[in-house]
Structures are given as structure tokens and as C-alpha cells.
Amino acid sequence: MNRSQDETFMQMALELAENGRGRTSPNPLVGAVIVKEGKVVAAGWHRRAGTPHAEIHALNMAGDLAKGADMYVTLEPCAHYGRTGPCAKAIAAAGIKRVVMATLDPNPKVAGGGARILREAGTEVAVGVLEAAARRQNEVFFKWITTGQPFVLLKTAMSLDGKIATFRGESQWITNETSRDYVHELRDAYDGIMVGIGTVLGDNPSLTTRLKNRRGKNPTRIVVDSKARTPLTARLLTDGLAPTVIAVSQKASPEKTAALKAAGATLITAGEGERVDLQILMKELGKRGICSLLVEGGGTLNFSLLKDGLVDKVAAFIAPKLIGGREALTPLEGEGFAALSEAVTLKETSFRELDGDLLLTGYVK
């Protein structure tokens, strides 16, 4: 195969992998395509953690056609025993003659081990076809598996003049229905959704996923609530639609934290001071399998996360409206950065129109 053909089949594998978006955590997204004599004979993708991997689905579909064929896979096949067996050994046993990988797996349990098993079995191995696209597709997995902390997307919705509410606190709705639908797509893809206590007290949100065309997955709801002020009547505690985690400080009232536990919340104590230590909280969430986190908080939480260097990516929905008001809230509150040189800068920015609204996304530099 030449490079152009390799990229064509790898692009197919990447598109297949997307079918698992929001369903494979803590595993990565993976797609696999088997090609024989220039034609696709089988394909598969990883559907859910604990189920067969993409390579196994493709091998099962190919059957005897796998012998002497090429396999294109978006991530290095696993080399270890987990909830499933090592894919690299299954590929070699099936007689695949050549495996093209987009990128190696950063998981210490794999980290070149899959490629090594294949080469030792006499299988030709190529690495690096559409690697940048594959790494971007699995940015959540790469962050979590290498740092133990979730990939954090900070989402905000504002007017053209940077207001997230009027001076009287009215915020529903600044952006249009198309933008709001897209936010629910994001919720469906992320493991957790985080807000501050101010959002809970002001809006009493459910933080669930509501999709028009299919059933969504509700993320784990996480409230940063240093003093355990979440009302026992809050929807997050009473609707039973998704797990709720409340992060408190050690200074929180024992009576209040006990009541929240009794109401069904999971409590995480993070930090010895008056406020939740967000660095500690992120590490604890990562340990609990929260690999990706969508932040839909107010200006105080947003600024604190950015100041602590905990945000990986920003999604800013901007509506063509002018609200004004000296007292109207903005996406970033707190004390702010004193100098422009300290301001958070985004890189690799992209823009998308959503029925008149503008969505700007970018990665924190």
C-alpha cells in the first residue's frame, strides 16, 4: 500500500472510532479496518469498556479473510490482560500480515508492547499514519492515562459584550436553541459535569443530557461546595437521574455533610482550608474514573480553574446580543489577572456558526 491508500483506510478507522464517543471511558476510542487486495473486508470499533475491542470485532467479521490481510487501527493494539485479552496476540494468531497504527498507546501497560508482540510474530508494523488526528481524537484518554487527571473542557455562553446574565441575574436564554442542543451533545460525551455552589443555589439545575434524536448518557454531576450548602431539595439530589458528587473542604459542617450523604450524594473532602483545593479534587476525580470533565460553572469557578492551570480546552458560545450593565456577570470573575502577560491565551482556535451564534474553541496554551 502507498501512503495515500494508508491514509484513506486510516481515515475510515478514525470515523468508525467516533461511534464510541462518550461510551468507552476509561478506555480510548478505537477503530479498526481490515483490507485485503485493496478492498475493505471487515471493520469494527470499540463500543463500551469491558466489551471486545475494535480489533476483535474486525477479526470476527473477517474470519478466514484475515489471513494475509492488512489491518488499520487508530491506536496500538493492547498487549495486556484486562477485562479482555491482548489484541496484539489475537491479530498475530489470525494471520494478519501488516498492521498500520496511527499512534502508539501511552498506557504504561501497552507503551510499545503491542507493536513488539506483532513484530516478534513476524507481522509487519507501521506507525504514524494520521497520528495527529488520532491523538486529537483521544485527547481525553491521553491526558488521563498520563497524568491521572481528567481532561477539562470549560464551556461558557455569553453575549457579544461578554455577559452571562443581565444585572438582575436573568440568563435563560442568551444563546439560541442550536447552541443549547450542542451543549447536550457535549454532556453526552463527557464523564462528568462540574458547577459551583452558586449555580446550584441560583439555577437549581439538573445537569442531565437531553438529546432530540437519541437517548443520551447523563454525566456524573460534581458540585464544588466548600461549605456544604447544597440544599437537600436540589434536583441534583432528588431526581435520581445521575450520580452526584459534592466536593467540600475540611471546614464544612459535619452535620451538613452527613445530611448530604444521607440524601445520596458522594462526598469528597479536598483541602484543609476554607475552600476546596481544586488540584486535589482533580486528582481524586481521576482516581474515580472521571476521565473527562465538562465545566459549566459561573465566573468564580471558571477563574479559579484557569488560575490553577486545570483547564485544557475552552468552548465559548457567543450570541449576537448586547446586554450591558456594570453589575452584570461575566464568564470570569474572581480577582482577575493583574497583567496582560498573565492572561490565559488559547491556541489552535477554531470557529463554528450555530444558527447565528458563534462557537469559539481553543486549547489553553
Side-chain angles (χ1 to χ4, degrees):
M1 294 282 179
N2 59 39
R3 183 75 180 187
S4 177
Q5 287 176 312
D6 282 348
E7 290 183 354
T8 296
F9 292 126
M10 187 61 76
Q11 183 60 41
M12 290 181 185
L14 288 167
E15 291 169 3
L16 283 168
E18 276 299 319
N19 289 318
R21 176 71 65 182
R23 303 296 182 271
T24 64
S25 183
N27 291 349
L29 298 167
V30 183
V33 173
I34 296 176
V35 177
K36 195 164 189 176
E37 298 176 355
K39 296 181 180 180
V40 175
V41 297
W45 69 89
H46 186 38
R47 288 163 167 76
R48 193 177 296 273
T51 65
H53 293 180
E55 302 94 318
I56 304 304
H57 283 298
L59 289 173
N60 289 341
M61 180 184 290
D64 293 339
L65 291 175
K67 189 172 181 62
D70 297 341
M71 174 180 280
Y72 293 82
V73 61
T74 58
L75 188 68
E76 178 185 10
C78 63
H80 62 289
Y81 287 90
R83 283 186 276 184
T84 60
C87 291
K89 290 186 177 181
I91 293 168
I96 293 285
K97 72 171 183 179
R98 178 173 180 254
V99 175
V100 182
M101 308 172 192
T103 181
L104 295 177
D105 189 338
N107 186 343
K109 294 179 180 179
V110 184
R116 185 170 57 253
I117 287 172
L118 290 166
R119 288 190 175 109
E120 289 174 352
T123 307
E124 181 185 347
V125 173
V127 181
V129 176
L130 300 186
E131 181 171 9
R135 292 177 69 90
R136 178 66 75 216
Q137 182 178 65
N138 268 316
E139 61 190 5
V140 165
F141 176 73
F142 274 64
K143 166 74 182 293
W144 177 75
I145 202 68
T146 57
T147 68
Q149 297 187 40
F151 181 93
V152 177
L153 172 64
L154 190 157
K155 166 261 166 183
T156 188
M158 69 185 91
S159 62
L160 186 59
D161 57 337
K163 306 298 183 181
I164 62 173
T166 69
F167 71 91
R168 290 180 176 174
E170 183 183 348
S171 61
Q172 295 182 348
W173 297 101
I174 290 177
T175 53
N176 62 34
E177 185 177 359
T178 303
S179 292
R180 298 197 298 275
D181 288 345
Y182 188 75
V183 171
H184 285 281
E185 295 283 349
L186 292 175
R187 290 183 181 184
D188 182 58
Y190 276 69
D191 294 337
I193 180 169
M194 176 180 282
V195 296
I197 181 59
T199 298
V200 174
L201 295 175
D203 299 338
N204 190 21
S206 61
L207 302 180
T208 52
T209 300
R210 298 179 292 282
L211 300 176
K212 289 182 176 180
N213 301 321
R214 58 190 173 89
R215 183 176 179 180
K217 170 185 65 65
N218 291 329
T220 297
R221 304 172 291 196
I222 300 146
V223 182
V224 180
D225 181 11
S226 297
K227 298 179 181 178
R229 293 188 291 152
T230 300
L232 299 180
T233 55
R235 289 195 182 109
L236 298 168
L237 295 176
T238 59
D239 63 16
L241 296 176
T244 297
V245 174
I246 299 179
V248 300
S249 73
Q250 285 192 349
K251 302 294 184 180
S253 160
E255 292 78 17
K256 290 182 178 180
T257 56
L260 290 171
K261 286 181 182 178
T266 297
L267 272 286
I268 294 177
T269 302
E272 299 178 355
E274 296 284 344
R275 303 180 67 84
V276 168
D277 186 316
L278 295 172
Q279 299 276 3
I280 294 174
L281 175 58
M282 290 298 174
K283 292 176 183 176
E284 185 59 35
L285 292 174
K287 290 178 183 176
R288 295 173 184 233
I290 301 293
C291 304
S292 57
L293 189 60
L294 175 63
V295 177
E296 293 195 30
T300 300
L301 177 61
N302 291 348
F303 178 75
S304 296
L305 288 165
L306 285 166
K307 183 180 178 183
D308 285 356
L310 295 171
V311 177
D312 297 289
K313 187 176 181 181
V314 173
F317 294 82
I318 304 167
K321 296 176 182 177
L322 298 168
I323 294 175
R326 189 179 294 108
E327 304 301 321
L329 295 175
T330 66
L332 292 184
E333 299 292 337
E335 66 269 27
F337 296 107
L340 284 176
S341 59
E342 299 173 352
V344 174
T345 302
L346 302 183
K347 61 181 181 179
E348 299 176 55
T349 53
S350 62
F351 301 87
R352 175 179 176 181
E353 188 190 1
L354 294 168
D355 197 22
D357 287 351
L358 184 66
L359 170 61
L360 183 153
T361 59
Y363 294 85
V364 174
K365 207 167 186 179

